[in-house]
Amino acid sequence: MPDRQPLKQLESTLSDEPIRRPGGRSARIRTAVLDATLAELADVGYDRLTVEAIAARSGVHKATLYRRWGGVDGLIADVLVRSAEQPWQVPDTGSLRDDLHAITRVIYMGFTDPEHGAVPRNLIVAALRSSQAARALTGFFETQHGLAAEVVTRAVRRGEAPEGTDAVDVVRTACAPLYYRLFVTGEPLEEVAAHRAAEAALAAAQAGAFVR
Amino acid sequence: MPDRQPLKQLESTLSDEPIRRPGGRSARIRTAVLDATLAELADVGYDRLTVEAIAARSGVHKATLYRRWGGVDGLIADVLVRSAEQPWQVPDTGSLRDDLHAITRVIYMGFTDPEHGAVPRNLIVAALRSSQAARALTGFFETQHGLAAEVVTRAVRRGEAPEGTDAVDVVRTACAPLYYRLFVTGEPLEEVAAHRAAEAALAAAQAGAFVR
C-alpha cells in the first residue's frame, strides 16, 4: 500500500469542489481511486463492490471517496467519464470497410481478451444496474460514437457512402450486434460476428440505408 | 384476491414433478403465478420483487412457489420460457423489406407502449441480473430468432437475398440496434431507429453480407 501521509494532508484541504489541475494531486487521487475501482470490480464484481475496499486498495481515505464521489455508483460513473476522456486512435486506413472492421475488431478483442476482457464487461454490467452510472454510460457511448463517426464522415467525403449519411448510425449498426450478443441475448461473441457486423454496416451505408 | 381454497387443496397434492397437462390445474397455477410475477415486476421492479408478494397476488401458497420455481429468479426464468412458448404471427407480406419492417416495428411498439412498455423492459433488465434468468433469456431469444428467421428463408427462396444467407444473422442485425439503445447505450428508442434497422438489415442481406 502506498504511503498515505501526503494523501491524508490533502484530504483535509479538499473542498467539495476541488481544483482539478491535470497532473495535480487531485488528478493523482482520482487516478488511484478509479484504478482501484476497476481492480475491485474485476475481483469481486458489482454486487460486492464497497467504498471501504476501494479506499483500502487506493490508499485514499473512505471519507474522501464519499465526499467526492458519493459512493460506489458515483465511482463507476466517474470510471466511465474517465474512459470517455481517454483518447483512442480512430482508424484511418483510407477505406470505410477496413475502418469499420478495425472498429468492430477493437470491441471484439476488448471483450474477449482472456486476461482483461472481464473488466469492460463488468463495468458495463455495473453501469446498467445504477441509474447514475447508466447516465454516465450513455455519455460514454455518445463520446465513442462521435469519435468513431469520423471514419464515416471521411468515407462520405471520399465518395464511399452517399451524402447525407447519418455517420453515427453507421457506427451504431456496426457495434450493436456485438453488444447485443454480450449484454442482451447472451450468445457467444465470436470473431465472425465482428466481421459480419462490419460488412453489414458497410453494405447498408453504401446502399444509402442511413441517408437522413 | 381469488378464492384460495381450491389452490390450497391442489398444493398438497403437488409433487416436485407435477404433471403439467395443458389446461390442467398445474397449468392454471403456472398462469396465475407467472401473471402475478409480471404484474409485481411492473409495479415494484426487480430489486423489490419477493416470492411473498407474488404468492399473495396469485393466491398460490409461497411454499408451492419455492418448491416449483426455487425463488424469484426461477420465476423470472419461467416467465421467459412461457413467453418463448407463446406463438406469434411471424409476418409474411411477400416482401423481405415489409417483413423486416414488421419485425422491428413489433419490437419498437412493444417497448414504447406507454401503458405496457415497462413490462418487457423490466423483464429483460431482471433477466440480465440473474444468471439463471439470463440463461432463460438466451433461450427466449434463440426461439424468437429461429421463428423470425423464416422471413429470410422465404426471401431467399423468392430470390430476394442470395443463397447461403445466414437467416438468423439478418434477424439479429435488424433487432440489435433497438436493443442496443434500450439496454446498452440508453439512447431513446425512436420510430426512425426501427425503420433504419430494418432498412440496414435488408440492404446488407441483399448485398450478400450474411452469406456464410
Side-chain angles (χ1 to χ4, degrees):
Chain A
M1 187 175 301
D3 177 15
R4 290 180 53 173
Q5 278 317 110
L7 294 176
K8 284 208 165 210
Q9 279 172 17
L10 177 63
E11 280 158 28
S12 64
T13 69
L14 270 177
S15 75
D16 284 332
E17 293 267 45
I19 299 159
R20 301 192 187 179
R21 286 165 299 192
R25 286 178 301 184
S26 174
R28 282 200 300 277
I29 286 186
R30 186 184 183 219
T31 299
V33 168
L34 300 187
D35 286 350
T37 304
L38 272 175
E40 280 294 307
L41 201 53
D43 283 358
V44 306
Y46 178 73
D47 280 324
R48 292 190 291 142
L49 196 64
T50 65
V51 169
E52 285 68 21
I54 295 167
R57 192 159 196 152
S58 64
V60 178
H61 199 280
K62 70 175 180 180
T64 304
L65 271 60
Y66 279 114
R67 192 167 58 235
R68 187 158 162 185
W69 285 279
V72 158
D73 292 346
L75 285 160
I76 291 169
D78 201 26
V79 166
L80 287 160
V81 169
R82 180 177 68 163
S83 299
E85 286 165 359
Q86 283 164 348
W88 58 289
Q89 197 59 48
V90 178
D92 187 9
T93 62
S95 126
L96 180 56
R97 167 172 277 134
D98 291 344
D99 284 354
L100 289 173
H101 276 284
I103 288 170
T104 63
R105 196 167 167 76
V106 161
I107 298 169
Y108 166 74
M109 298 292 281
F111 283 109
T112 57
D113 181 324
E115 204 175 334
H116 303 294
V119 175
R121 202 168 179 136
N122 286 346
L123 180 60
I124 291 183
V125 167
L128 292 171
R129 294 183 47 180
S130 140
S131 59
Q132 183 185 2
R135 282 193 297 277
L137 191 65
T138 300
F140 169 79
F141 277 108
E142 194 181 345
T143 304
Q144 303 301 317
H145 286 168
L147 290 170
E150 182 58 28
V151 310
V152 183
T153 308
R154 286 193 303 253
V156 170
R157 252 185 256 130
R158 290 191 303 259
E160 286 189 79
E163 288 286 338
T165 294
D166 185 328
V168 172
D169 233 15
V170 178
V171 171
R172 283 193 196 95
T173 302
C175 301
L178 282 70
Y179 287 92
Y180 182 60
R181 285 173 177 266
L182 285 164
F183 298 104
V184 181
T185 68
E187 294 171 287
L189 181 56
E190 286 149 0
E191 202 165 356
V192 66
H195 181 86
R196 285 244 185 98
E199 285 295 311
L202 173 75
Q206 288 174 333
F210 303 109
V211 174
R212 277 180 290 257
Chain B
M1 185 172 305
D3 178 14
R4 291 181 52 176
Q5 277 318 108
L7 293 177
K8 284 207 168 211
Q9 278 173 17
L10 177 61
E11 280 157 31
S12 65
T13 68
L14 270 178
S15 74
D16 284 331
E17 294 267 43
I19 299 159
R20 302 196 185 176
R21 284 164 299 191
R25 288 178 300 184
S26 173
R28 282 200 300 277
I29 286 187
R30 184 182 183 220
T31 298
V33 168
L34 300 187
D35 286 349
T37 303
L38 271 175
E40 280 294 307
L41 201 53
D43 282 359
V44 305
Y46 177 73
D47 279 325
R48 292 190 291 142
L49 195 65
T50 64
V51 168
E52 285 68 21
I54 295 166
R57 193 159 195 151
S58 64
V60 177
H61 199 280
K62 70 175 180 179
T64 304
L65 271 61
Y66 279 113
R67 191 168 59 236
R68 187 157 160 184
W69 286 278
V72 158
D73 292 346
L75 285 159
I76 291 170
D78 201 26
V79 167
L80 287 160
V81 169
R82 181 178 67 165
S83 299
E85 286 164 0
Q86 283 163 348
W88 58 288
Q89 196 58 49
V90 178
D92 187 8
T93 62
S95 126
L96 179 56
R97 165 171 277 135
D98 291 344
D99 284 354
L100 288 174
H101 276 284
I103 288 170
T104 64
R105 195 169 167 73
V106 162
I107 298 169
Y108 166 75
M109 298 293 279
F111 283 108
T112 58
D113 181 325
E115 204 175 334
H116 304 292
V119 175
R121 202 169 179 135
N122 286 346
L123 180 60
I124 291 184
V125 167
L128 292 172
R129 294 183 48 180
S130 139
S131 59
Q132 183 185 2
R135 282 192 297 277
L137 190 65
T138 300
F140 170 79
F141 278 106
E142 194 181 346
T143 304
Q144 303 301 317
H145 286 167
L147 290 169
E150 182 57 28
V151 309
V152 183
T153 308
R154 285 194 302 253
V156 170
R157 251 185 258 132
R158 290 190 303 260
E160 286 189 80
E163 289 286 337
T165 294
D166 184 329
V168 172
D169 233 14
V170 179
V171 171
R172 284 193 195 96
T173 302
C175 301
L178 283 70
Y179 288 92
Y180 183 59
R181 284 174 178 267
L182 285 164
F183 298 104
V184 181
T185 70
E187 295 171 289
L189 181 57
E190 287 149 358
E191 202 165 357
V192 66
H195 181 86
R196 286 246 184 96
E199 284 295 311
L202 173 74
Q206 287 174 333
F210 303 108
V211 173
R212 277 181 290 257

